[in-house]
Amino acid sequence: MLPDWGWRRKQPLRSPVPLKEKTYALTQEFVTRFKVLNVSILCRDLLGCDISNAEGLKKAREKKLFSILCPKFVQDTAEILEKII
């Protein structure tokens, strides 16, 4: 028999409140540090175009923004996470 992780329940398992609060605090810390380095956490702001539509995605691909900008965002993310967790 498999352990019951809430899959068979209609209600999800609930995290203890202190764990949830710690998760929220770490998330806020990450967002704050990322914004200090990059001004925003939104792709449309970071890339300067809205990749959720065809026109913006085309622009990002033509300008090679994923290759030029995204590696820095990934590096920043890794460095921040190394420091806070």
Side-chain angles (χ1 to χ4, degrees), residues 13-85:
L13 293 174
R14 300 189 194 281
S15 296
V17 173
L19 181 59
K20 189 181 279 190
E21 289 172 355
K22 182 176 181 180
T23 301
Y24 290 153
L26 286 171
T27 301
Q28 187 60 47
E29 179 68 18
F30 169 80
V31 168
T32 299
R33 289 180 184 221
F34 193 88
K35 283 181 174 180
V36 166
L37 297 173
N38 299 295
V39 181
S40 179
I41 60 167
L42 302 176
C43 288
R44 70 174 173 263
D45 296 336
L46 295 169
L47 298 175
C49 56
D50 186 357
I51 61 172
S52 69
N53 63 55
E55 182 181 324
L57 183 58
K58 181 180 176 185
K59 178 181 172 184
R61 287 181 174 157
E62 287 173 352
K63 292 186 172 191
K64 300 182 182 183
L65 297 178
F66 299 118
S67 299
I68 296 168
L69 298 176
C70 293
K72 179 197 180 302
F73 304 140
V74 172
Q75 181 68 37
D76 290 347
T77 297
E79 289 174 2
I80 292 167
L81 292 176
E82 281 182 338
K83 292 174 184 171
I84 67 172
I85 57 175

